[in-house]
Amino acid sequence: MSSRRISAQALLGGFIVLLGLLLLLDTTGVYDTTQLLQFVPSLFVVAGVYALVSSRLRNVAGPLVVIVVAGGWQLATLGVVEWRDFEAFWPLLIVLLGLSVILGRYRARAYEVSDAFVTAVGLFGGADRRVTTAGFAGGELTAVFGGVDLDLRDATVSDRPARVNATAVFGGVDVRVPTDWNVQVDVLPIFGGAEDERPRRAEEHDSVDLVVTGFAAFGGITVVD
């Protein structure tokens, strides 16, 4: 069995911890991290590139906007260019927004996967996955300033329950399941929400088909049919 890559959730958590530690060292006077903090925009550039690669170029405009803005921010912070040098180029953001609409028209279809374990990252954009496997085991979904849609209506679970871990930070995660699935939602919401929005049915089997865990901050995680 091949080793799994570092998850997007681990990278996100590591980024937040690193930024928090740098700020803590500076505010407590233990170490002057001013020189290090000026490279924070580069982390957003890396995040944009990661979003491009992880989406297999299916999500282009959102990450590209982040890369351009954060790259300009980094150049200005380092004194390579002046902020006023960017004033003439702000219409470029409108151009990128238009490209996002155009590309979204041609990339609207969900990406079909047949793996037992599914990962999806919606970073400054969207990610759609439609699972068709007969032995779905679980997944890891991450939405940061974006959205993730996981469609399990054509999937079945052989070893119950399947487990999906979802993280939504200023974004949203939708998990679509068959109407007869028994889903348990165990998500920690902080200024966010997590809910099974399906209509209640009179009859429901006792065994749990899917457990949704995770964390929602200023975002939402929902189960729908």
Side-chain angles (χ1 to χ4, degrees), residues 127-202:
D128 296 338
R129 299 289 186 272
R130 184 167 67 90
V131 182
T132 58
T133 182
F136 178 70
E140 186 176 272
L141 313 177
T142 306
V144 181
F145 293 98
V148 173
D149 189 302
L150 178 64
D151 190 344
L152 299 174
R153 290 174 294 185
D154 294 325
T156 57
V157 178
S158 56
D159 186 13
R160 292 181 173 83
R163 297 183 179 274
V164 170
N165 186 266
T167 298
V169 180
F170 292 99
V173 173
D174 289 336
V175 181
R176 304 181 184 277
V177 299
T179 55
D180 61 340
W181 275 22
N182 185 357
V183 180
Q184 177 182 329
V185 179
D186 186 15
V187 174
L188 173 64
I190 299 180
F191 297 107
E195 185 180 4
D196 186 345
E197 295 185 346
R198 297 175 300 163
R200 296 300 178 187
R201 291 171 286 108

Side-chain angles (χ1 to χ4, degrees), residues 1-19:
M1 181 178 177
S2 60
S3 59
R4 288 172 53 188
R5 298 178 300 174
I6 299 176
S7 69
Q9 294 175 355
L11 291 175
L12 174 63
F15 169 77
I16 295 174
V17 169
L18 175 61
L19 182 59

Side-chain angles (χ1 to χ4, degrees), residues 14-205:
F15 169 77
I16 295 174
V17 169
L18 175 61
L19 182 59
L21 287 175
L22 290 176
L23 292 172
L24 181 63
L25 291 173
D26 189 65
T27 56
T28 57
V30 175
Y31 184 78
D32 184 5
T33 59
T34 304
Q35 296 298 319
L36 295 176
L37 288 173
Q38 68 178 346
F39 292 100
V40 167
S42 294
L43 296 179
F44 287 93
V45 173
V46 172
V49 173
Y50 178 82
L52 283 175
V53 175
S54 64
S55 69
R56 302 180 183 179
L57 299 181
R58 294 172 62 88
N59 175 26
V60 177
L64 190 58
V65 169
V66 173
I67 293 172
V68 171
V69 173
W73 177 17
Q74 183 66 84
L75 292 175
T77 302
L78 295 176
V80 177
V81 296
E82 298 291 335
W83 284 108
R84 61 176 177 269
D85 295 335
F86 295 109
E87 292 179 358
F89 295 97
W90 70 264
L92 180 61
L93 297 178
I94 299 179
V95 174
L96 293 176
L97 178 61
L99 289 175
S100 176
V101 175
I102 295 173
L103 292 173
R105 170 66 181 82
Y106 293 100
R107 299 178 183 273
R109 295 184 59 187
Y111 181 63
E112 184 174 316
V113 293
S114 57
D115 299 330
F117 190 88
V118 178
T119 60
V121 180
L123 186 61
F124 308 110
D128 296 338
R129 299 289 186 272
R130 184 167 67 90
V131 182
T132 58
T133 182
F136 178 70
E140 186 176 272
L141 313 177
T142 306
V144 181
F145 293 98
V148 173
D149 189 302
L150 178 64
D151 190 344
L152 299 174
R153 290 174 294 185
D154 294 325
T156 57
V157 178
S158 56
D159 186 13
R160 292 181 173 83
R163 297 183 179 274
V164 170
N165 186 266
T167 298
V169 180
F170 292 99
V173 173
D174 289 336
V175 181
R176 304 181 184 277
V177 299
T179 55
D180 61 340
W181 275 22
N182 185 357
V183 180
Q184 177 182 329
V185 179
D186 186 15
V187 174
L188 173 64
I190 299 180
F191 297 107
E195 185 180 4
D196 186 345
E197 295 185 346
R198 297 175 300 163
R200 296 300 178 187
R201 291 171 286 108
E203 296 182 1
E204 188 175 79
H205 54 269

